[in-house]
Amino acid sequence: MSIKGLVVHFRRDLEDHEAERMSDALMMLKGVTKVSPVAFDYEDDLNRERIKRELLDKIGALLSET
């Protein structure tokens, strides 16, 4: 199998200066030719809140069964 590239996700959104330092570090890796940032938008926040709510609902359901 041949791999063209990888997608990297961070645990949290990075500030501009952090993202720039991370991009610089990734560019130092052998074979890396391009690093492109993906901007945070309102849909990201909505998705995170939805996932939190779903997890809390599932945890609540599990706890109420015991």
Side-chain angles (χ1 to χ4, degrees), residues 11-29:
R11 292 181 193 191
R12 62 178 177 78
D13 296 331
L14 301 178
E15 298 294 329
D16 289 342
H17 68 280
E18 294 174 303
E20 186 175 333
R21 290 176 56 203
M22 189 65 70
S23 293
D24 292 344
L26 290 169
M27 285 299 295
M28 290 181 197
L29 295 173

Side-chain angles (χ1 to χ4, degrees), residues 39-56:
F40 173 84
D41 65 7
Y42 75 94
E43 288 182 4
D44 295 316
D45 196 40
L46 292 175
N47 287 331
R48 288 176 184 160
E49 291 303 317
R50 179 184 52 81
I51 290 169
K52 284 180 194 176
R53 172 57 42 206
E54 289 174 2
L55 288 172
L56 288 173

